[in-house]
Amino acid sequence: MSIEETEQEITEEFALFGTDWEGKYEHLIDLGRSLPLIAGELKTEDRLIKGCQSKVWLHSRLENGLVFFSADSDAIITKGIVALMVRVLSGHTPAEIVAAKLGFIDQIGLKEHLSPTRANGLVSMIKQMKLDALAFQLKA
């Protein structure tokens, strides 16, 4: 599935809740609960995303030309947000990740319903994931 197709799928999921942000937050929490955990030994200081209020660990690896992400957070909403980002970007080429527009974030109204610190954390997550993908792209 392409990045755009996954974004569309997420947009449709969140549309089911209409304007009910309590339901959307519950969905985010559920997504966080379903996030495959990052291995404990990968929860190191150098994998913490800078700019997040909560602790968010991100690990990326390149396998057969595709980037795979694993992540974890100590906050339930933030864990749901990083789960969304892993779902959208994991399993794609570095070039696809770097070029991703990620319009679904605005389409589902996520940024406008996050506190300023969480919104900054989301921007930091995206930036780190794209930087990791760019590093893999440059190594190739």
Side-chain angles (χ1 to χ4, degrees), residues 8-27:
Q8 183 60 39
E9 185 178 84
I10 291 168
T11 301
E12 290 168 8
E13 282 173 22
F14 277 80
L16 295 173
F17 297 99
T19 58
D20 175 19
W21 268 91
E22 188 173 318
K24 290 179 183 185
Y25 284 127
E26 285 298 321
H27 186 57

Side-chain angles (χ1 to χ4, degrees), residues 99-116:
K101 301 285 186 237
L102 304 174
F104 82 98
I105 294 167
D106 291 328
Q107 289 174 349
I108 66 174
L110 186 58
K111 248 189 204 173
E112 65 193 54
H113 285 89
L114 294 176
S115 67

Side-chain angles (χ1 to χ4, degrees), residues 65-116:
L66 302 177
V67 180
F68 293 91
F69 296 100
S70 56
D72 196 7
S73 176
D74 63 351
I76 57 172
I77 296 285
T78 305
K79 190 170 180 173
I81 294 167
V82 78
L84 274 179
M85 298 312 306
V86 167
R87 179 174 162 190
V88 170
L89 296 177
S90 203
H92 295 283
T93 67
E96 289 170 328
I97 294 167
V98 170
K101 301 285 186 237
L102 304 174
F104 82 98
I105 294 167
D106 291 328
Q107 289 174 349
I108 66 174
L110 186 58
K111 248 189 204 173
E112 65 193 54
H113 285 89
L114 294 176
S115 67

Side-chain angles (χ1 to χ4, degrees), residues 39-80:
E41 65 270 10
L42 297 176
K43 283 186 174 183
T44 57
E45 192 71 28
D46 62 320
R47 288 190 177 87
L48 279 172
I49 296 178
K50 312 293 183 269
C52 286
Q53 177 183 359
S54 310
K55 288 187 176 187
V56 180
W57 295 270
L58 177 72
H59 174 67
S60 56
R61 71 185 195 288
L62 187 67
E63 195 174 293
N64 299 321
L66 302 177
V67 180
F68 293 91
F69 296 100
S70 56
D72 196 7
S73 176
D74 63 351
I76 57 172
I77 296 285
T78 305
K79 190 170 180 173

